[in-house]
Amino acid sequence: MDVDILLASYNGEKYIREQIDSILNQTYPHFNLIIRDDGSSDRTLDIIKSYRDERIKIVPNSQNGGVVHNFSELLKASFAPYVFFSDQDDVWEKDKIEKMLNVALAFDDGRPLLVHHDMQVVDKDLKPLSHSFWQFSKLKPQATSLNRLLMQNNVTGAACMINHALIEMALPIPCDAMMHDHWLALIASSFGEIIPVMEPLIKYRQHGSNQLGAKKQGVL
């Protein structure tokens, strides 16, 4: 079974090759890596186009519409039963797809499903800062009720996998949605299920250009 991985890129020339390599080296090989660049002014698009792997698909675009719009457009280009989200500057553990897919297959009952995992927080050089993003940010992934998620989002897009039932219900993502991951979490909580995986399955890189990074805060 093929799955889709949606990668939204923008001026990511410094780190994107490491991320793409970590995806291409997954133990589960049956995927499409769908990339949409948001009008980068650096060498990001050249790096992406330098790959000759047939699993990489590029969605044409030349304008900057922001991260939420970029992922919304990527979702429209996906038709796989399961979809992963990818930032451009992280590094995936080799068995991330395999482990997440096993969880999804065990819980998928046809309703909207969102599975997300913990992350190891690292610096720009991949040196560990915390073994758990959830502990570092004082988040409770078991808090999946709508009222708790409205108060505080504990779902990070880079750690998410969703089924197609969730995509069908969530699109189009409202233009005033704070982030795509929060919107998807609200829909999954209201009409389906959210499953947290306690294992950190990516290295979540922190650097000066992060869209949203790890912060030591949270509701206890």
Side-chain angles (χ1 to χ4, degrees), residues 2 14 39 50 63 69 83 92 102 106 117 140 153 157 170-171 180 188 216-217 220:
D2 280 355
K14 192 169 183 180
S50 72
Q63 297 180 338
H69 177 73
V83 170
W92 286 17
N102 285 339
H117 57 74
K140 290 187 175 180
N153 181 33
L171 287 179
H180 62 288
K216 286 189 176 180
Q217 60 184 18
L220 297 176

Side-chain angles (χ1 to χ4, degrees), residues 45-181:
L45 198 52
D46 292 334
I47 293 171
I48 295 167
K49 289 180 177 179
S50 72
Y51 285 87
R52 295 293 179 264
D53 194 301
E54 62 182 11
R55 293 172 296 180
I56 297 178
K57 321 292 182 185
I58 301 175
V59 178
N61 177 54
S62 59
Q63 297 180 338
N64 187 329
V67 63
V68 176
H69 177 73
N70 205 3
F71 274 115
S72 182
E73 292 301 307
L74 280 165
L75 283 168
K76 294 175 185 177
S78 174
F79 300 96
Y82 295 104
V83 170
F84 292 78
F85 294 94
S86 171
D87 287 349
Q88 64 184 357
D89 46 12
D90 301 324
V91 173
W92 286 17
E93 298 299 330
K94 280 188 146 186
D95 54 358
K96 165 174 163 149
I97 295 179
E98 184 178 353
K99 287 184 174 179
M100 293 288 280
L101 187 56
N102 285 339
V103 173
L105 291 172
F107 284 93
D108 194 345
D109 59 4
R111 296 180 301 152
L113 175 68
L114 186 153
V115 182
H116 67 128
H117 57 74
D118 202 354
M119 306 178 289
Q120 181 185 20
V121 184
V122 298
D123 69 10
K124 62 184 179 63
D125 299 314
L126 300 180
K127 294 179 181 178
L129 298 175
S130 174
H131 71 282
S132 169
F133 169 77
W134 289 334
Q135 290 183 17
F136 184 85
S137 300
K138 297 181 180 179
L139 296 175
K140 290 187 175 180
Q142 297 86 355
T144 61
S145 64
L146 180 61
N147 61 330
R148 288 298 300 269
L149 288 170
L150 283 169
M151 184 170 63
Q152 181 186 50
N153 181 33
N154 60 32
V155 173
T156 303
C160 282
M161 173 189 184
I162 62 176
N163 66 358
H164 204 76
L166 179 51
I167 296 176
E168 290 177 350
M169 190 167 287
L171 287 179
I173 298 177
C175 58
D176 55 352
M178 218 171 156
M179 282 296 288
H180 62 288
D181 50 18

